[in-house]
């Protein structure tokens, strides 16, 4: 019985050690990815960010700095995409997933071809092209900008927002596609990656769930 007890404790110890090592490796991997992303494509306008996390789908990465005194958040959302496609990043103040999301959409301007960004609310499933329009969000937006890097093959959305309810944990959603309606982003593939691109993010700890 004593041998069995010792073996059980040893097994638990090894499992805990394995989990800690796995967390450490994941953290190191994130640091390498974030550092490599910054080194490979420095942010325009002298921007810098205190935190970063690679998102699990659609080859995207999020950088941010949170200011507790004002509940403001500086964000840079960067995602791989062709120059003729679009990317989006959103906060959903009311739930997980797309419905209720308040989004930033970056895409090529139909007239000039230059990267532009609009903000729009996504109130329901089965959106119509007329639902996608440049409008105010349900939380304050203090600045927005978009750019495309032909060398890197990615869009970057820059934004400064006020976190809804001053809650540091927010439901985030991101998306990408190459389809348009009336010159504006519309619709996306319905595969696993595109349907799974949402998560809860704690902007204080960087934990994604």
């Amino acid at each position: 019985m004593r041998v069995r007890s010792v073996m059980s404790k040893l097994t638990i110890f090894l499992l805990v050690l394995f989990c800690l090592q796995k967390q450490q490796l994941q953290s190191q991997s994130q640091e390498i990815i974030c550092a490599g992303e910054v080194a490979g494509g420095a942010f325009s306008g002298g921007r810098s960010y205190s935190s970063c996390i690679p998102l699990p789908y659609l080859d995207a990465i999020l950088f941010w700095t949170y200011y507790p005194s004002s509940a403001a958040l500086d964000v840079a959302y960067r995602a791989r995409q062709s120059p003729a496609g679009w990317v989006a990043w959103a906060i959903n103040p009311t739930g997980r997933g797309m419905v209720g999301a308040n989004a930033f959409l970056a895409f090529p301007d139909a007239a000039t071809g230059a990267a532009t960004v609009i903000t729009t609310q996504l109130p329901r499933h089965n959106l119509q092209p007329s639902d996608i329009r440049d409008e105010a969000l349900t939380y304050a937006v203090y600045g927005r900008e978009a750019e495309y890097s032909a060398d890197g093959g990615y869009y970057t959305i820059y934004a400064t927002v006020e976190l809804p309810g001053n809650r540091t944990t927010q439901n985030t959603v991101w998306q990408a596609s190459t389809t348009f309606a009336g010159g504006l982003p519309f619709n996306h593939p319905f595969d696993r990656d595109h349907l799974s691109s949402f998560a809860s993010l704690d902007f204080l700890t960087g934990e994604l769930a």
Side-chain angles (χ1 to χ4, degrees):
M1 292 294 293
R2 183 175 299 176
V3 172
R4 185 175 300 174
S5 176
V6 171
M7 291 299 293
S8 178
K9 290 179 180 179
L10 179 61
T11 300
I12 293 172
F13 171 76
L14 291 174
L15 285 172
V16 171
L17 182 62
F18 172 77
C19 290
L20 289 174
Q21 289 178 333
K22 184 178 180 180
Q23 290 177 350
Q24 184 178 15
L25 287 173
Q26 288 176 336
S27 177
Q28 290 174 344
S29 176
Q30 288 182 1
E31 289 176 1
I32 291 171
I33 291 172
C34 290
E37 192 73 15
V38 172
F43 300 109
S44 63
R47 297 176 175 94
S48 62
Y49 301 91
S50 62
S51 301
C52 157
I53 189 167
L55 299 173
Y57 301 102
L58 305 182
D59 204 3
I61 188 166
L62 187 68
F63 303 83
W64 74 91
T65 300
Y66 173 59
Y67 303 95
S69 60
S70 61
L73 187 77
D74 282 338
V75 170
Y77 170 79
R78 179 167 286 178
R80 304 286 172 184
Q81 181 58 284
S82 71
W86 58 266
V87 303
W89 178 79
I91 290 176
N92 188 336
T94 60
R96 291 173 67 88
M98 182 195 79
V99 176
N102 284 226
F104 295 81
L105 284 71
F107 57 96
D109 182 270
T112 67
T116 189
V117 60
I118 65 170
T119 54
T120 194
Q121 299 181 39
L122 306 175
R124 60 180 182 272
H125 290 295
N126 302 317
L127 292 171
Q128 301 301 311
S130 59
D131 292 319
I132 308 301
R133 56 187 179 273
D134 197 7
E135 61 183 337
L137 302 184
T138 61
Y139 53 84
V141 176
Y142 302 119
R144 64 182 191 182
E145 186 180 336
E147 63 187 22
Y148 185 80
S149 169
D151 293 336
Y154 54 74
Y155 278 98
T156 304
I157 297 173
Y158 299 106
T160 300
V161 304
E162 182 179 292
L163 288 179
N166 197 15
R167 299 186 302 271
T168 58
T169 299
Q170 298 285 340
N171 297 310
T172 61
V173 188
W174 59 101
Q175 196 52 259
S177 186
T178 56
T179 58
F180 291 79
L184 295 174
F186 184 72
N187 218 341
H188 60 78
F190 288 86
D191 55 29
R192 186 202 66 163
D193 286 4
H194 288 82
L195 295 177
S196 303
S197 55
F198 60 91
S200 175
L201 175 60
D202 187 331
F203 288 102
L204 275 182
T205 65
E207 292 183 5
L208 199 66

